[in-house]
Amino acid sequence: MIGLCDHLILPLGFARTATGRGSPAEILDALWLPSRSAVVLTDGGRGVFYRGRDETGLWHLPPHRVAVVDSTGAGDCFHGAYALALTRGADTAGRVAFAAAAAALSITGRGGREALPTDAQVTELLASTNAPSAVELKCARLDTGT
């Protein structure tokens, strides 16, 4: 099934096991296919690693600093927010940033639903002065074949 995904979003731990690779950069490189739009690796409190067709290079988005109450449902929230950003035409960086902000807000309450954020709350967090910025990973070979 992994080979069929256009937008592949996986937890880093699972991706590490599936690929047999160690670093996020190696894993992104191993999972990349010319047919993909994006490969995204979520890593909880360590942020998100990603590569997109519309990006050059591999990227790491550090986590938002929020008061964690319960991480239940954060992955589901990430996936849903990513899909919403995709329907709005956001590029890879925009989709990942929106999804990461939504997931960060979702862990500030108990259970998977108490703190599900609104669009306005996600937008506000993204506009805050302490919102993290993505940094390029420089340590992987990129297969840019089409």
Side-chain angles (χ1 to χ4, degrees):
M1 296 300 290
I2 288 176
L4 299 175
C5 293
D6 182 22
H7 294 265
L8 182 61
I9 304 171
L10 299 171
L12 179 62
F14 176 85
R16 185 172 279 133
T17 300
T19 64
R21 306 292 172 88
S23 75
E26 292 171 323
I27 295 166
L28 288 168
D29 195 37
L31 291 172
W32 185 254
L33 297 172
S35 60
R36 292 210 202 280
S37 292
V39 175
V40 180
L41 305 173
T42 60
D43 196 23
R46 288 174 291 282
V48 183
F49 301 89
Y50 64 95
R51 177 180 183 181
R53 183 181 301 148
D54 50 357
E55 307 286 333
T56 56
L58 308 175
W59 297 86
H60 174 237
L61 179 65
H64 290 270
R65 299 293 174 207
V66 296
V68 178
V69 174
D70 183 357
S71 64
T72 302
D76 292 334
C77 183
F78 185 97
H79 284 263
Y82 183 96
L84 176 61
L86 178 63
T87 67
R88 292 177 172 172
D91 63 7
T92 305
R95 294 187 302 264
V96 169
F98 188 83
L105 290 168
S106 79
I107 64 176
T108 63
R110 298 211 183 286
R113 295 179 58 180
E114 181 179 296
L116 281 177
T118 64
D119 186 50
Q121 290 169 319
V122 175
T123 301
E124 181 179 338
L125 181 58
L126 286 170
S128 69
T129 58
N130 62 348
S133 297
V135 293
E136 188 170 6
L137 299 174
K138 301 278 187 187
C139 55
R141 174 191 59 79
L142 294 179
D143 177 6
T144 56
T146 55

